[in-house]
Amino acid sequence: MASSMLSLGSTSLLPREINKDKLKLGPSGSNPFLRTKSLSRVTMSVSVKPSRFEGITMAPPDPILGVSEAFKADTNELKLNLGVGAYRTEELQPYVLNVVKKAENLMLERGDNKEYLPIEGLAAFNKATAELLFGAGHPVIKEQKVATIQGLSGTGSLRLAAALIERYFPGAKVLISAPTWGNHKNIFNDAKVPWSEYRYYDPKTIGLDFEGMIEDIKEAPEGSFILLHGCAHNPTGIDPTPEQWVKIADVVQEKNHIPFFDVAYQGFASGSLDEDAASVRLFAERGMEFFVAQSYSKNLGLYAERIGAINVVCSSADAATRVKSQLKRIARPMYSNPPVHGARIVANVVGDATMFGEWKAEMEMMAGRIKTVRQRLYDSLVSKDKSGKDWSFILKQIGMFSFTGLNKAQSDNMTNKWHVYMTKDGRISLAGLSMAKCEYLADAIIDSCHNVS
Amino acid sequence: MMATAIRNSASRGTMMSRQISGLRSMSSWWKNVEPAPKDPILGVTEAFLADPSPDKVNVGVGAYRDDNGKPVVLECVREAERRIAGTSFMEYLPMGGSVKMVDETLKLAYRDNSEFIKDKRIAAVQSLSGTGACRLFADFQKRFRPDSQIYIPVPTWSNHHNIWRDAQVTQKTYHYYHPETKGLDFSGLMDDVKNAPEGSFFLLHACAHNPTGVDPTEEQWREISQLFKAKNHFAFFDMAYQGFASGDPARDAKSIRIFLEDGHHIGISQSYAKNMGLYGQRVGCLSVLCEDEKQAVTVKSQLQQLARPMYSNPPLHGAQIVSTILGDPALKGLWLKEVKVMADRIIGMRTALRESLEKLGSPLSWEHVTKQIGMFCYSGMTPEQVDRLTSEYHIYMTRNGRISMAGVTTGNVGYLANAIHEVTKSS
């Protein structure tokens, strides 16, 4: 490779002036200078040191972003983007909650300053987020047993916890569901925490492989971390029933495992904040120590503001204090302190009774739209499909996503023939579906399911 | 239904935990977690806030204050926020952040009409302010040059050590601050650069060195650059104070411009925390100058790959403020004016502090107070003297003797000078 350092300041050297002894060898050991075809092209090279970034290859495209890019490039009128994990209105537009606009205007009027937050984030936010999760009067909060710090949405909060696990539980494994959100693996990989999978999705029933899940959790070495989706499992939309949650709690306790909840959809799944926190609260009732990562990307539509939290429920206030201090120590060399804007929005919304009520209403509306669209899709499928296939799994799933049961070839058919963009694992985002498009989607699914193998 | 399940499960749970308690008493998983030491910088502000004394002065953390000791939100920022409020969606930014904001930011560092920008040779991503940019680079360095080390000046911002340590990159140091002259140990620096193995990675403060305020002269930068060339070292610039040091962003980027002219392929961390007062918004940029466009695309893809499992994509609000301001000539002009006001106020306070100390008849030389530049002054005081300042005078600063000049006002400079004089006059 030609020189990585052009010296524009010094006189340019003609080939005959270059002392070959001074040339550095390329990575293969051969003299790159001798490889050049035309000497005259090398006049600019002073020294032929290879780039220090020589061996760096292109990172693979993100499996989800790639979908949106392909969608954008498609010129067909009928195209439908069901890859996006972001809420859309019936008109398929992004949605900024009214209560968020209100909060922002309030903040503007107040003229809040932009000083650094403390490493652990905005105190008002931390208080609000823990209360939202556990319920305001909950013993773990009253007794100060929860270490809460503001994190960079769900991702950042998960990453902080992963780093804590790596530091204090060296060698401990995290069990993640098969399948799970794609970035979970990246997070644990980069944090150098080993992971393995527990059975979750059953393609035969397009439902939960509960026996497999329990078996795998039982099999795991004592004291493993079990990553659980609090509600609205991503990507399948399949959640355990309340009775199943009880059994999961039993086996987790039996094996001394540490539960690790990812709660990205509180309020967004059923429409009720409390109902969606039921699984977490169940575990809290048991007196277990566990982690919970939260995100406000979807339920407050604050995607880009990166607002979330990591909560560590400990058995004592003293442990919580120590754990919080160590979480801060992990955050400091990552980003020093978290961004203020999203935190203030959440704190304002939750802290004002009127706005909180408005938020709940808007959330119910969003969750409601998704439920309605699910129903319409189901109805379309049932009325159009003459094969007698049971489509009820669509109604049993919950949240933004639905696992259609389509395999890769069938998903490709959805895209190539029908211009329906989705991820290759068969996941569709109902948040990107409008009532108007349900019939078309049903046609596409039926075709892909029955005519492609 | 869930509530019943919870109630039933709770009683089962208590039964279960009583059964389990034989195996492991209700002790914590976290017994071996020690309380972390307080961050030396941010801990100062915590202590300051807790102090009830009416005389207390905070010259600890590097956040700008006006002459009344109040935090400042720039007018250009307020205006940008008014324009932004309620207008845009909050959809995820791409992993690399706001393209508009990154483009404007590169112009500041590399120059508006830089050939490197035109030729698309710069791999750049929006970062979580300066910290995030440094951390991304450190992780990148670890992943692709796992055997490399980072040379860090002595002293430096303490978080630099945390960043490269958590990225698991071996650290070495190079001489920088000369305690006797309270200036630059130039020969020590050059020796260390010369003795470092060829192709080493060096962390350089582009301007307004933190914590010393001591910068190389232009001529010294040229010499450093030449030696870097001879040794094929990699220069990573942390530029947290562009515009804030001299009041002139172009001038403050001089070191970088010299290295670019000399053909180095550098890396830069930029932050808008101080120069745009966007501290809590966490806005910055990491850039790496590559050989060509293809390599820039490749390197950018890998930087994004590192960001994805850390925070997925960076926060929007601060980036929107930056691109609104820098994208509008009138707002940009206002920003440049406001930055100069901040820089000038600090320069004025340096003069005031020095003169006050001299007037008090201090036996020591305080020339360095005005020679140093930027937000910080390395006073030369010992940790013990600093402790006295805190315990006797309620003056808060980091124990390395670093004074944040941004916290000095016409109202407190006399008090500060007096206190410093009292604790140093017998040394």
Side-chain angles (χ1 to χ4, degrees), chain A residues 4 52 57 59 111 114-115 155 159 190 250 256 282 289 304 306 322 325-326 332-333 335-337 340, chain B residues 9 12 28-30 33-34 36 39 65 78 90 131 143 145 265 280 282 301-302 309 311-313 316:
Chain A
S4 54
R52 30 187 125 239
T57 53
K114 302 199 172 316
E115 295 298 286
T155 306
R159 179 59 177 267
D190 275 25
D250 286 346
N256 264 347
L282 167 71
E289 291 185 305
R306 319 312 295 130
R322 286 179 280 117
S325 77
Q326 293 297 347
R332 173 56 158 159
Y335 49 82
S336 281
N337 37 68
V340 64
Chain B
S9 128
R12 283 174 61 165
S28 173
W29 288 103
W30 308 109
V33 175
E34 309 248 304
D39 184 277
R65 295 284 177 271
R78 287 275 182 237
M90 288 171 169
T131 306
R143 183 165 285 182
R145 298 298 299 261
H265 290 188
R282 321 308 295 130
S301 77
Q302 293 295 351
Y311 49 84
S312 281
N313 35 67
L316 173 65

Side-chain angles (χ1 to χ4, degrees), chain B residues 34-94:
Chain B
E34 309 248 304
K38 280 215 183 299
D39 184 277
I41 300 172
L42 302 176
V44 170
T45 296
E46 279 181 30
F48 168 81
L49 289 170
D51 185 333
S53 164
D55 299 323
K56 63 182 181 178
V57 175
N58 186 358
V59 283
V61 74
Y64 182 80
R65 295 284 177 271
D66 63 15
D67 201 44
N68 295 313
K70 296 272 173 286
V72 169
V73 178
L74 302 185
E75 234 342 278
C76 61
V77 169
R78 287 275 182 237
E79 175 55 30
E81 284 202 307
R82 278 191 284 267
R83 293 186 197 181
I84 294 166
T87 58
S88 71
F89 298 119
M90 288 171 169
E91 298 293 288
Y92 292 124
L93 282 176

Side-chain angles (χ1 to χ4, degrees), chain A residues 1-2 4-8 24 49 51-54 56-60 62 65 86 88 94 96 100 104-105 108 111-116 119 152 155-156 159 164 167-169 181 183 186-187 190 192 223 242-243 245-246 250 253-254 256 258 278-279 282 285-287 289 291 297-298 301-306 312 314-315 319 322-323 325-326 328-330 332-341 345, chain B residues 1-2 5-6 9 12-13 16-17 20 24 26-37 39 41-42 46 63 65 71 73 77-78 81-82 85-86 88-93 95 128 131-132 135 140 143-145 157 159 162-163 165-166 168 198-199 229 232-234 261-263 265 273-274 277-282 288 291 295 297-298 301-302 305-306 308-317 321:
Chain A
M1 238 134 127
S4 54
M5 298 208 319
L6 301 176
S7 179
L8 303 174
K24 296 293 179 243
K49 291 156 189 143
S51 165
R52 30 187 125 239
F53 303 128
E54 197 67 15
I56 298 179
T57 53
M58 194 73 187
D62 188 277
L65 263 179
R88 294 280 179 275
V96 178
V100 167
E104 280 199 309
N105 282 320
L108 199 61
D112 292 329
N113 68 41
K114 302 199 172 316
E115 295 298 286
Y116 290 125
I119 304 175
L152 290 159
T155 306
R159 179 59 177 267
L164 192 76
R167 199 166 278 192
Y168 289 99
F169 297 86
W181 179 49
N183 206 27
N186 299 331
I187 292 168
D190 275 25
K192 299 195 179 50
E243 294 74 26
W245 273 120
V246 168
D250 286 346
Q253 249 182 325
E254 216 178 278
N256 264 347
I258 306 181
S279 58
L282 167 71
E285 288 306 305
R286 296 288 187 99
E289 291 185 305
F291 290 83
S297 290
K298 287 79 168 178
L302 293 178
Y303 307 92
E305 300 300 350
R306 319 312 295 130
V312 185
C314 306
S315 63
R322 286 179 280 117
V323 166
S325 77
Q326 293 297 347
K328 282 163 67 169
R329 211 161 140 243
I330 291 167
R332 173 56 158 159
M334 247 190 234
Y335 49 82
S336 281
N337 37 68
V340 64
H341 195 69
I345 293 175
Chain B
M1 176 133 133
M2 194 63 188
I6 292 177
S9 128
R12 283 174 61 165
M16 294 221 67
S17 55
I20 292 169
R24 172 177 75 86
M26 244 351 215
S27 64
S28 173
W29 288 103
W30 308 109
K31 279 206 297 282
N32 63 333
V33 175
E34 309 248 304
D39 184 277
I41 300 172
L42 302 176
E46 279 181 30
R65 295 284 177 271
V73 178
V77 169
R78 287 275 182 237
E81 284 202 307
R82 278 191 284 267
S88 71
F89 298 119
M90 288 171 169
E91 298 293 288
Y92 292 124
L93 282 176
M95 285 182 281
L128 289 157
T131 306
R135 177 56 179 269
F140 176 72
R143 183 165 285 182
F144 294 102
R145 298 298 299 261
W157 179 49
N159 206 26
N162 298 334
I163 290 168
R165 180 203 63 222
D166 273 24
Q168 296 178 350
E198 209 185 277
K229 259 172 65 175
N232 199 24
H233 289 329
F234 183 92
E261 277 163 27
D262 285 351
H265 290 188
K274 288 79 167 175
L278 295 178
Y279 307 92
Q281 304 289 340
R282 321 308 295 130
V288 179
E291 280 200 341
Q295 190 179 77
V297 169
T298 304
S301 77
Q302 293 295 351
Q305 193 85 327
L306 287 160
R308 173 60 159 156
M310 230 191 262
Y311 49 84
S312 281
N313 35 67
L316 173 65
H317 194 70
I321 294 174

